Every structure is written in structure tokens, then in C-alpha cells.
Amino acid sequence: MNVRYVDWYESPVGPLIACATDSALCGLSFCDADRLQERLQALREQHHATLLQGSNPLLAELRTQLQEYFASQRRQFTVPLSAAGSPFQERVWAALCEIPYGETWSYLQLAVRIGDALATRAVGYANGANPIAIVIPCHRVINADGGDGGYGGGLWRKRMLLDLERGQGTLPW
């Protein structure tokens, strides 16, 4: 049986729903309470899995690491990841993990990093399809002109995460 564990976290940037196997985190997304059932159904379909609500050791470690991150005590996540996508998406997501804490790259810089300077639009789509928010730091990507760009979790969350990483305060858990 294909099983995923799901857990719900209240965070300073709103509720998060995490999805994991016994060995790797495969999803972390923003999820308000009124959309929880919809999000759970999407996870079932995406992973073709039975969902068990509650934590496992990996999700417990994620909770600890998220608490440390929001308290400005962690700059890098170490939970194992399993982000399934196309080969192109997976290259983009790997490159996102190379963006240093507190810094931002433009979509063009990210495209150059993966070896295709003409792929900025495709990089943007892959960035938007990132299944593991915060841990795979898609919030660190901005427009070439320095503008915020987009963010699936809402621009207010992107700004809060970037402000946190730039040392402009901690967010209470």
C-alpha cells in the first residue's frame, strides 16, 4: 500500500500541511482550514496514496526545523526531500536549494544557473510548481528589476519570509 503521512502546522505565515513517506518529505504547502479537505484530496491524487493523518519521526523533525527557521535559528533544512516532477522541474528545484539564506536570485539568474538563459518563463512555471514550500526556497526568486514577482502562497508570505531571512525580526511560532 502506498502511504503518505500528513500533518498540519500552525506557523507565523499561516497554516502549513506537510506530506511525507517514512524516509522523505514530499510536500509542504500553505493551507487555510477552509481548504483542508480540498488539499487532502489533491494530495491523495497527486501521490496515488492513502493518507494517514498524524506525524511520523520525519514530520516531527520537520516541525522542529520549521520552529528553528521561524525563530531565526536555522538557515538550512536537513530533512530528506522527495520532490517528484519533470526532469526540468527537478533541476530548477535543486537550483533553488542553492540560493543562500537571506539572498534572492532573479528568474534569469536561476535560468542561467540551470544552463538555459532563455528558459526564464519555464523556470517561473517550475518555481510555481514547487511542491515543498519554504524548505525548497522558491520565495527567494524575484523579478530581474527587483520586484517581488509572484508567490503561490501570497506575496505577503513571500515578503515575511524574505524579511525574516534578511534579519528584520523573528516570527513567533
Side-chain angles (χ1 to χ4, degrees):
M1 175 169 56
N2 193 11
V3 173
R4 299 288 186 274
Y5 298 89
V6 294
D7 205 1
W8 172 276
Y9 307 125
E10 285 293 337
S11 84
V13 292
L16 296 165
I17 189 166
C19 180
T21 64
D22 284 323
S23 60
L25 179 66
C26 51
L28 182 65
S29 57
F30 302 102
C31 182
D32 294 322
D34 62 339
R35 301 198 63 189
L36 178 60
Q37 291 307 314
E38 177 184 326
R39 185 68 189 122
L40 289 172
Q41 183 59 35
L43 287 170
R44 277 186 206 93
E45 293 171 8
Q46 177 184 358
H47 296 285
H48 307 287
T50 298
L51 302 181
L52 299 178
Q53 294 185 25
S55 193
N56 68 0
L58 191 137
L59 290 176
E61 178 59 25
L62 173 66
R63 178 183 296 274
T64 298
Q65 290 187 22
L66 284 168
Q67 289 172 334
E68 293 167 352
Y69 171 81
F70 286 120
S72 295
Q73 297 169 347
R74 174 172 291 275
R75 293 174 170 243
Q76 187 173 23
F77 292 90
T78 59
V79 291
L81 305 178
S82 177
S86 71
F88 180 82
Q89 287 173 321
E90 290 177 7
R91 281 187 11 238
V92 171
W93 300 336
L96 287 170
C97 292
E98 297 173 13
I99 303 173
Y101 179 93
E103 294 183 22
T104 56
W105 289 358
S106 70
Y107 294 98
L108 175 59
Q109 286 173 297
L110 192 54
V112 168
R113 183 63 165 218
I114 65 163
D116 190 350
L118 299 177
T120 56
R121 186 175 298 249
V123 161
Y125 286 124
N127 194 53
N130 171 22
I132 306 176
I134 302 172
V135 177
I136 297 178
C138 57
H139 60 277
R140 295 180 188 156
V141 181
I142 60 171
N143 290 338
D145 66 3
D148 288 334
Y151 192 60
L155 287 178
W156 69 272
R157 285 186 173 112
K158 181 175 188 167
R159 289 181 195 116
M160 285 182 74
L161 294 170
L162 291 175
D163 286 349
L164 171 73
E165 292 184 8
R166 291 176 179 146
Q168 297 173 353
T170 60
L171 301 175
W173 180 265

